[in-house]
């Protein structure tokens, strides 16, 4: 028999003033407006709609973007859009030089690559 005792993690509380300063700095950085063009690479001419709230005390906002639309949105939303990726899985065979290109005994091997479906290009870059 084996018995393990697990202790709770000790939380180190930081200075509330320092935390407030950091949150204010992050909020200011997040809310800076950026003008640019939205591109939906998978569905040209399509639109995308999503709900977003970064800070807990903010209201839930619904954003709707149309492909090719030029708009002005906060920097936090730009980061969110440009960091959104999807996994494209490819199922294939292992290197079958030893087994004569047979399927493996347990499941299909798969690999994936990350691709971006949407992007927001600032007009400063264009």
């Amino acid at each position: 028999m084996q018995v393990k005792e697990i202790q709770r993690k000790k939380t180190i509380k930081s200075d509330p003033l320092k935390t407030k300063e950091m949150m204010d700095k992050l909020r200011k950085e997040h809310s800076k407006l950026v003008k640019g063009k939205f591109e939906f690479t998978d569905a040209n001419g399509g639109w995308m709609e999503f709900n977003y709230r970064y800070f807990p005390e903010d209201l839930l906002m619904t954003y709707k973007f149309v492909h090719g639309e030029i708009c002005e949105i906060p920097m936090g939303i730009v980061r969110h859009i440009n960091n959104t990726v999807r996994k494209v899985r490819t199922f294939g065979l292992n290197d079958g030089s030893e087994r004569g290109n047979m399927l493996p005994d347990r499941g299909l091997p798969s690999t994936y690559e990350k691709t971006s479906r949407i992007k927001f290009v600032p007009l400063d870059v264009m």
Side-chain angles (χ1 to χ4, degrees):
M1 183 169 109
Q2 184 178 9
V3 178
K4 288 185 179 180
E5 184 177 325
I6 300 173
Q7 297 178 356
R8 290 186 179 186
K9 291 182 180 179
K10 294 181 181 178
T11 57
I12 301 171
K13 295 194 175 190
S14 60
D15 181 30
L17 293 175
K18 186 176 180 183
T19 304
K20 182 163 176 38
E21 287 176 14
M22 288 173 47
M23 286 297 287
D24 289 342
K25 180 181 175 187
L26 183 62
R27 185 181 292 276
K28 183 179 177 184
E29 195 175 290
H30 188 273
S31 64
K32 179 184 170 193
L33 293 178
V34 178
K35 189 171 185 177
K37 182 178 180 182
F38 175 76
E39 294 181 8
F40 200 163
T41 55
D42 274 0
N44 290 340
W47 56 271
M48 186 187 82
E49 184 175 2
F50 63 94
N51 297 323
Y52 188 80
R53 173 176 51 202
Y54 190 76
F55 298 100
E57 59 272 359
D58 287 350
L59 297 174
L60 187 65
M61 302 289 287
T62 301
Y63 291 92
K64 182 175 181 177
F65 298 105
V66 179
H67 174 74
E69 177 183 24
I70 294 177
C71 54
E72 196 169 6
I73 60 175
M75 179 57 102
I77 305 296
V78 173
R79 287 186 187 143
H80 177 73
I81 289 173
N82 289 338
N83 289 332
T84 303
V85 294
R86 70 178 175 130
K87 294 179 182 177
V88 178
R89 294 197 180 277
T90 55
F91 296 96
L93 300 173
N94 289 334
D95 181 22
S97 57
E98 296 175 9
R99 297 175 48 175
N101 283 335
M102 294 174 60
L103 288 174
D105 294 333
R106 291 182 47 178
L108 288 174
S110 67
T111 58
Y112 65 88
E113 70 178 49
K114 295 179 180 180
T115 61
S116 178
R117 299 178 65 199
I118 54 176
K119 62 182 174 180
F120 188 84
V121 182
L123 290 180
D124 303 340
V125 177
M126 296 175 78

